[in-house]
Amino acid sequence: MLQTKRVPQKSILLSLLFSLLVGLIACQPSSQTSTESTTSSSGEMPGTGVKVRSSSDTTTEGLFMTEIVNIGLEKLGYETEAIKQLSIPLAHTAVSNGDLELYGPHWQKLQTQFFEKSGGDQKLERVGLLVKNVLQGYKIDQKTAEQYNISTIDQLKDPEIAKLFDSDGDGKANLTGCNAGWGCELVIEHQLDAYELRDTVEHDQGEYDTLLANTVVRYQQGKPILYYAYVPHWSASVFKPDQDTIWLEVPFTSLPKAQGNVTEKETSFEGKNRGFAIDNIRILTNKNFLEANPAAQRLFELMSISIEDVNAQQKLVQNGENRPEDIRRHAEEWVQKNQQKFDSWVETAKQAVQ
């Protein structure tokens, strides 16, 4: 007759305790991925659970560019809020403080002072090349340029030349200028002194698009016009370059100290010294957000929009399609026209988290 081996009572108790311990561990909830990061579980979009608050300046072209950026983020799973259109200094401060994640249309050289005052490289990051070789400078109508042989801004030191562009009867040229807070107004004010134009030129400031609309009317009436211009902008679809208007050259490069050491080479384009640095529009982001979201960073690095495409969108704006819902539709239509390229950006950005 077989005898069964008796298991000591102590061993049975130890076995029961071990089983209970394993069960308790199995019942514990798994750790959750922070919504501040794009690191996601298999099958999830990299931006799942992450909210992005973006901003633009107060221009329609800035809003258009930022909407395209937001569509890219949405394709990565991010939840985007309605874009806040803010003054340029306020947008930089909000991104630096973490109140917003990004500012779409950051002009790298022109807006250097806002970047530095908002924390610079310690808090902010300028990513990608959203629009390359954006231009600024002074323009006059070609008819007056040819009739009086005007090619440089410093010729307006001559009271007789300046008087041609006088629209308010005080004998000085009226320069349609730049909004306060954009950065370009500081350059214009600096150059009025540098080129000794204070006595003959007035810098008309206010809402730029409204002032420029008045300049268009003046041109249509056959009168000489003088205005600050930047591209991309709707004015490029109204005035044909080298047919209706020409760029004026400056006698030498002179810019505010806040822009750093800018050379004549950096302010020259197509053989003309425009006086303003040839610039690039980049995406300004909060450094902490960027470090936690490699998919968003990779998307920003890849995105690009041509000046010609922005100018074409601006023509729609000039034709009356200027509401925020119009701008969003323009952005969606741009994505559709560039679908293959856009999809490749999104797919490449997804791989950044792997």
Side-chain angles (χ1 to χ4, degrees), residues 38-189:
T38 53
T39 304
S40 58
S41 60
S42 179
E44 273 192 349
M45 296 294 284
T48 299
V50 184
K51 184 177 290 186
V52 178
R53 301 159 298 177
S54 58
S55 64
S56 167
D57 54 28
T58 57
T59 68
T60 53
E61 71 272 6
L63 183 58
F64 171 66
M65 290 181 252
T66 310
E67 286 286 14
I68 292 174
V69 174
N70 269 10
I71 293 171
L73 289 169
E74 290 159 13
K75 295 298 182 183
L76 289 172
Y78 290 92
E79 179 186 345
T80 64
E81 292 187 355
I83 297 168
K84 295 177 175 63
Q85 288 191 272
L86 304 172
S87 70
I88 294 170
L90 181 57
H92 282 71
T93 301
V95 175
S96 175
N97 291 341
D99 298 322
L100 298 171
E101 278 66 59
L102 69 91
Y103 166 67
H106 170 77
W107 290 54
Q108 181 173 353
K109 294 178 181 177
L110 182 66
Q111 296 171 10
T112 294
Q113 58 190 319
F114 305 129
F115 177 81
E116 296 297 342
K117 287 180 179 178
S118 299
D121 292 323
Q122 291 186 342
K123 291 187 173 182
L124 300 167
E125 193 87 26
R126 297 179 279 202
V127 191
L129 290 172
L130 195 58
V131 183
K132 293 186 286 187
N133 293 331
V134 289
L135 306 175
Q136 303 172 81
Y138 305 105
K139 280 194 165 190
I140 64 172
D141 62 287
Q142 183 155 335
K143 178 183 174 182
T144 305
E146 291 177 349
Q147 184 175 351
Y148 294 92
N149 195 29
I150 304 170
S151 60
T152 64
I153 190 72
D154 60 317
Q155 286 179 261
L156 272 71
K157 286 192 293 186
D158 182 342
E160 294 304 312
I161 295 294
K163 195 180 296 183
L164 297 170
F165 304 98
D166 177 17
S167 61
D168 59 10
D170 66 355
K172 291 186 177 183
N174 289 91
L175 167 66
T176 299
C178 178
N179 282 37
W182 279 9
C184 41
E185 85 283 3
L186 301 177
V187 176
I188 294 171
E189 288 295 312

Side-chain angles (χ1 to χ4, degrees), residues 221-234:
Q221 293 171 345
K223 299 175 182 178
I225 58 171
L226 167 67
Y227 66 102
Y228 159 80
Y230 70 93
V231 179
H233 186 260
W234 60 258

Side-chain angles (χ1 to χ4, degrees), residues 276-328:
F276 289 73
I278 312 306
D279 219 332
N280 293 308
I281 296 177
R282 309 184 71 184
I283 301 168
L284 183 79
T285 66
N286 179 282
K287 208 173 186 74
N288 291 334
F289 169 78
L290 202 67
E291 290 175 353
N293 291 273
Q297 176 173 350
R298 190 66 183 123
L299 177 72
F300 298 161
E301 291 169 348
L302 295 168
M303 299 190 86
S304 66
I305 309 167
S306 72
I307 285 180
E308 293 76 17
D309 285 351
V310 182
N311 283 339
Q313 184 269 338
Q314 285 291 284
K315 190 171 184 179
L316 298 176
V317 170
Q318 180 64 11
N319 290 337
E321 298 181 27
N322 55 9
R323 299 171 303 169
E325 52 266 38
D326 292 325
I327 310 302
R328 173 68 184 201

Side-chain angles (χ1 to χ4, degrees), residues 233-300:
H233 186 260
W234 60 258
S235 59
S237 67
V238 176
F239 298 125
K240 296 181 179 63
D242 299 322
Q243 293 184 39
D244 298 328
T245 61
I246 67 160
W247 294 95
L248 293 179
E249 292 189 75
V250 297
F252 53 88
T253 297
S254 182
L255 293 166
K257 289 182 180 180
Q259 291 199 19
N261 296 320
V262 180
T263 66
E264 182 175 335
K265 183 179 179 180
E266 293 174 292
T267 60
S268 298
F269 188 76
E270 295 180 345
K272 284 189 175 184
N273 189 346
R274 309 293 177 91
F276 289 73
I278 312 306
D279 219 332
N280 293 308
I281 296 177
R282 309 184 71 184
I283 301 168
L284 183 79
T285 66
N286 179 282
K287 208 173 186 74
N288 291 334
F289 169 78
L290 202 67
E291 290 175 353
N293 291 273
Q297 176 173 350
R298 190 66 183 123
L299 177 72
F300 298 161

Side-chain angles (χ1 to χ4, degrees), residues 214-228:
N214 293 332
T215 303
V216 171
V217 171
R218 183 173 169 83
Y219 175 79
Q220 292 170 342
Q221 293 171 345
K223 299 175 182 178
I225 58 171
L226 167 67
Y227 66 102
Y228 159 80

